Amino acid sequence: MQTYGKTDTGRVRPTNQDAYACGRLADDVVFAVVCDGMGGAKGGNVASTLAVKIITERLAAAYRENMTPQSIRYVLECAVAAANVEVFDTAAKDENLRGMGTTVVVAVVMGNTAVLAHVGDSRAYLVTEAGLEQVTRDHSLVQEMVESGRLTESEAKTHPRKHFITRALGVEDTVECDLDEREIPERGALLICTDGLTNMVETDEIRKILLSFPPQTAAERLIHAANMAGGSDNITVALIA
């Protein structure tokens, strides 16, 4: 497995509050982490950058050869908790950063097994020849409304409160992250992205791009497609394939 990542400010926002990192923990173990910051231009950038830094450092420090998926789940949970504390404490010390936070999706892939942790509405998708499967569940107001039957999936896409998330890293002194584990099939891939992609580009178009180009080119094409659709937000994608 290889990792590829790309981020772009988009065509509307003056600054990029997304952050990401991709890397290798061992010969057959790779990781990717994507964050979408919030809390103003300065706060959002600080929160996402700090979260990526702490999670990356914790993964590198904690990884040991031949770890089980269960052990990786524990490492991810601890890394997200550590990043939450760091962002929360940093905001508490600086009035200009009060209330900042960030989404996060982080994945560690060992062989073909992907272990993921996430908070917020940035997403992970499993990419196969059969289609695109959303692995993560959005922690958002519209997602809760869809699940309760108050909104349809189509209505959720244009709802005025679709950007309201119900859970974020760094906003409170503790945070609960969702954990998942998936097998990546042969010729499959894992896509992690911020909502600057998914709000701009339809799922079918994302799948078409991912299946038509090699991973590094696909990442660039996804960014381009989001910008051509309006680029109303920062756009970040990370691919493990």
Side-chain angles (χ1 to χ4, degrees), residues 69-89:
Q70 185 60 39
S71 296
I72 292 294
R73 288 168 73 100
Y74 177 73
V75 169
L76 288 178
E77 196 168 22
C78 291
V80 170
N84 184 79
V85 169
E86 194 71 26
V87 173
F88 181 81
D89 286 351

Side-chain angles (χ1 to χ4, degrees), residues 145-162:
M145 294 173 73
V146 168
E147 292 174 359
S148 67
R150 289 178 288 166
L151 278 182
T152 65
E153 292 281 359
S154 178
E155 290 169 337
K157 291 180 180 179
T158 57
H159 194 277
R161 302 181 75 184
K162 68 179 181 178

